[in-house]
Amino acid sequence: MSIVVLTIFVVACAAVMVAERAGVPTTLDLQFKGDLKRESRWFAQYGQFAATAIAAILVFQIDSRGLRRAVALIVAVGGTSIVCAILKRLLGRVRPGRENAGRFLGPALGHANYRESFPSSHSACAVAMTVMLAGFYPPAAITFWVLAAITALLRYLMDAHWPSDVLGGIALGYAIAHGTLAVLASGRWG
């Protein structure tokens, strides 16, 4: 894992969060319509459950090391999703455009979408899937990174998250996936 890249995302997340808390305008309130709205919804699902399951099935079908890699992909993305869900419930950050927007309300046991902004799970899972797939198939790395970048950017453009939520999610997905790749490469993985 590139500790430099991870550090850049963590520092950027902290710096942007400070700016957000200081009242710097960071939301856009854009309205997507027609084909742009439909296409953006498709891209926004990269790294989510169905996309990850399909990617794992394809890895299994086309790669001689498919089963091991498919399981590692599911572990990395699934683990990222679980960590995000725990952090969202513990921190309770309110999404943009809602009452108390940007505030951290603290722990809650129940699901409440309006207060589950930090970190962006979509961004985290998209990056986790990208790190894994780019690690397995370097010639396609640019395509995977473009898909992750589009997904993360859409979370911000759709006002689903604060910029710091997206950056925090990127850092989290990057770290968890690289940890998964390190375990896979070490031979301690089945």
Side-chain angles (χ1 to χ4, degrees):
M1 168 174 43
S2 172
I3 197 73
V4 173
V5 171
L6 181 59
T7 302
I8 289 169
F9 280 112
V10 170
V11 169
C13 175
V16 171
M17 192 174 288
V18 168
E20 292 164 354
R21 303 287 290 163
V24 174
T26 57
T27 57
L28 301 174
D29 194 27
L30 300 175
Q31 301 297 319
F32 291 90
K33 295 181 181 181
D35 285 344
L36 183 58
K37 182 177 183 176
R38 285 184 288 280
E39 294 293 336
S40 64
R41 285 183 176 163
W42 184 87
F43 278 107
Q45 294 308 303
Y46 176 75
Q48 296 305 292
F49 179 80
T52 302
I54 290 168
I57 290 166
L58 289 171
V59 166
F60 175 74
Q61 291 174 335
I62 64 173
D63 192 328
S64 63
R65 296 165 285 188
L67 179 59
R68 186 174 178 199
R69 287 181 168 185
V71 170
L73 175 66
I74 291 168
V75 166
V77 178
T80 299
S81 181
I82 290 168
V83 171
C84 282
I86 292 167
L87 288 172
K88 286 173 178 281
R89 298 272 171 90
L90 287 174
L91 300 172
R93 188 176 199 194
V94 180
R95 292 182 186 273
R98 309 282 171 75
E99 186 178 341
N100 295 315
R103 293 194 55 206
F104 287 88
L105 303 178
L109 293 177
H111 170 67
N113 191 353
Y114 79 94
R115 56 171 281 134
E116 295 178 0
S117 192
F118 185 85
S120 167
S121 181
H122 281 77
S123 300
C125 291
V127 168
M129 189 154 102
T130 286
V131 167
M132 298 302 291
L133 292 173
F136 298 155
Y137 311 109
I142 291 172
T143 301
F144 298 133
W145 280 109
V146 167
L147 288 169
I150 290 170
T151 300
L153 183 61
L154 283 170
R155 300 312 292 162
Y156 169 65
L157 293 175
M158 296 171 133
D159 281 330
H161 290 283
W162 300 94
S164 59
D165 301 338
V166 172
L167 291 167
I170 289 169
L172 184 63
Y174 188 84
I176 291 172
H178 273 286
T180 305
L181 282 175
V183 169
L184 189 64
S186 72
R188 294 180 293 202
W189 189 287

